[in-house]
């Protein structure tokens, strides 16, 4: 009975992982052209508005920021929970089960996450744009959660994280038929935009910060896929003998999430913790039966 279950589990893993590998193999470098075109368009727009300086960059989107912030902040609990998905720990916790069933996804996620972390840190330091709480009167707009001051607004790190992860998932599960491809891509993009604009709703970023961050995240996600396709840096993830490493990491992440729940009693943290516990159980079970 156990052997039968293990064989079924192994077959499911092979099918899903093979489909992911097949989808990734079809991705072409030309997919970088569109996001790069968007970034160039943003730069040209800012140039046409004489807004390449930090002060002008903030001023030309001030009214849009106030408008979006006032509308989105009407749903404080919802947007504050959703905005937590910009935290890699929270978002990736929901995907930990793929370490068992589709490790190729995690090979791409790890490469993409490293690239996105570098992009985020370098560009934030390069542009040095003040956050809304630093640029505007804090009483003039709604701040939900912790006030984020400082000069690290552009690009939005949460937006980069969200679209990096979503891009890896977008191509991992891309349907075969054109109609389904369009629908799947549309749903992923809409979901991503909803998540990233919560950063404006909580008063943490200007609109162009999250738009730019989303585009960069897409580029990082694609880059991660190409890296994992060409280099076997993370191929050991597929080897069950390394599962104790993930078991330890999952336990540490569970502790971190419990601490977050103690400090901020958000439903998204509970859901993330449940996902981790399910994955932890699954990976322990598979390792014990190997």
């Amino acid at each position: 009975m156990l052997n039968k279950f293990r064989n079924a589990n192994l077959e499911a893993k092979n099918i899903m992982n093979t489909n992911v590998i097949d989808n990734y193999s079809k991705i072409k470098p030309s997919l970088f052209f569109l996001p790069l075109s968007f970034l160039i368009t943003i730069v040209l727009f800012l140039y046409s508005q004489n807004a390449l300086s930090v002060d002008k960059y903030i001023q030309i989107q001030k009214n849009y920021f106030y408008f979006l912030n006032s509308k989105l902040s009407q749903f404080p609990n919802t947007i504050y929970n959703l905005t937590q998905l910009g935290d890699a720990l929270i978002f990736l916790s929901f995907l930990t089960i793929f370490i068992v069933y589709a490790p190729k996804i995690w090979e791409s996620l790890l490469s993409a996450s490293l690239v996105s972390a570098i992009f985020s840190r370098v560009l934030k330091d390069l542009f040095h744009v003040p956050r809304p709480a630093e640029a505007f009167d804090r009483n003039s707009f709604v701040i939900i959660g912790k006030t984020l001051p400082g000069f690290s607004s552009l690009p939005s790190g949460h937006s980069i994280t969200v679209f990096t992860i979503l891009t890896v998932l977008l191509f991992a599960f891309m349907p075969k038929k054109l109609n389904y491809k369009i629908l799947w891509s549309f749903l992923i993009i809409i979901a991503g935009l909803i998540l990233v604009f919560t950063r404006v709703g909580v008063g943490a970023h200007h609109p162009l910060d999250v738009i730019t961050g989303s585009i960069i995240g897409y580029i990082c996600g694609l880059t991660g896929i190409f890296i994992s396709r060409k280099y076997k840096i993370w191929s050991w993830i597929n080897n069950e003998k390394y599962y104790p490493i993930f078991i330890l990491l999952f336990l540490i992440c569970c502790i971190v999430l419990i601490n977050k729940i103690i400090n901020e009693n958000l439903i998204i943290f509970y859901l993330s913790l449940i996902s981790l516990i399910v994955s932890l159980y699954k990976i322990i079970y598979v390792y014990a039966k190997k």
Side-chain angles (χ1 to χ4, degrees):
M1 186 70 179
L2 289 175
N3 286 335
K4 185 176 181 181
F5 178 83
R6 176 172 170 76
N7 290 336
N9 185 76
L10 185 61
E11 184 179 355
K13 172 182 177 179
N14 289 337
I15 291 173
M16 184 178 290
N17 205 47
T18 300
N19 287 337
V20 171
I21 293 172
D22 182 57
N23 280 342
Y24 284 166
S25 68
K26 297 175 182 177
I27 298 176
K28 294 180 170 43
S30 58
L31 287 170
F32 284 105
F33 294 160
L34 186 59
L36 290 174
S37 298
F38 284 152
L39 288 177
I40 292 171
T41 300
I42 291 173
V43 172
L44 291 176
F45 168 74
L46 292 173
Y47 176 78
S48 69
Q49 301 297 310
N50 193 29
L52 289 177
S53 66
V54 171
D55 290 339
K56 286 292 184 65
Y57 170 82
I58 294 172
Q59 289 305 315
I60 65 164
Q61 50 184 324
K62 180 179 180 180
N63 291 336
Y64 297 106
F65 167 76
Y66 279 120
F67 174 77
L68 290 169
N69 177 259
S70 66
K71 297 300 181 184
L72 294 173
S73 61
Q74 294 177 27
F75 313 96
N77 291 331
T78 300
I79 66 168
Y80 193 52
N81 272 279
L82 290 178
T83 204
Q84 305 305 322
L85 289 169
D87 182 336
L89 169 63
I90 306 303
F91 203 158
L92 292 176
S93 293
F94 289 98
L95 307 179
T96 47
I97 195 66
F98 290 130
I99 289 177
V100 175
Y101 290 107
K104 192 62 182 180
I105 290 178
W106 269 89
E107 290 182 38
S108 298
L109 280 173
L110 289 174
S111 294
S113 296
L114 288 175
V115 173
S116 68
I118 294 171
F119 265 99
S120 180
R121 186 68 271 153
V122 170
L123 292 176
K124 281 178 179 291
D125 291 341
L126 176 65
F127 295 124
H128 204 59
V129 173
R131 290 179 180 271
E134 195 76 42
F136 308 133
D137 180 358
R138 297 181 188 181
N139 295 317
S140 65
F141 63 97
V142 179
I143 297 176
I144 300 172
K146 184 180 178 181
T147 300
L148 296 176
F151 293 78
S152 57
S153 198
L154 176 68
S156 163
H158 279 65
S159 302
I160 292 177
T161 297
V162 166
F163 266 86
T164 295
I165 296 172
L166 286 179
T167 300
V168 172
L169 296 178
L170 169 68
F171 292 106
F173 300 111
M174 185 65 75
K176 305 297 182 185
K177 294 183 179 180
L178 179 60
N179 289 344
Y180 292 150
K181 283 184 178 182
I182 294 172
L183 178 60
W184 172 241
S185 300
F186 176 78
L187 291 175
I188 287 289
I189 292 170
I190 293 300
L193 290 176
I194 290 172
L195 292 178
V196 301
F197 271 97
T198 61
R199 301 307 292 162
V200 180
V202 300
H205 282 285
H206 309 284
L208 280 177
D209 297 343
V210 300
I211 293 173
T212 304
S214 300
I215 298 170
I216 293 172
Y218 176 85
I219 292 172
C220 292
L222 273 179
T223 303
I225 293 172
F226 277 107
I227 290 174
S228 70
R229 202 170 75 179
K230 186 171 183 179
Y231 304 103
K232 307 302 179 183
I233 306 172
W234 312 106
S235 59
W236 54 270
I237 293 174
N238 195 29
N239 193 327
E240 292 177 3
K241 76 175 184 179
Y242 293 109
Y243 277 10
I245 296 174
F246 295 111
I247 292 170
L248 177 61
L249 288 174
F250 287 4
L251 288 171
I252 293 172
C253 290
C254 284
I255 294 171
V256 173
L257 283 169
I258 291 170
N259 187 59
K260 282 181 176 288
I261 290 171
I262 293 171
N263 293 324
E264 290 185 283
N265 194 28
L266 297 178
I267 189 171
I268 194 71
F269 295 156
Y270 286 98
L271 296 174
S272 184
L273 180 60
I274 291 170
S275 297
L276 259 179
I277 292 172
V278 170
S279 298
L280 183 60
Y281 168 79
K282 185 65 181 179
I283 204 167
I284 290 174
Y285 185 86
V286 171
Y287 181 73
K289 298 300 179 183
K290 77 181 182 67

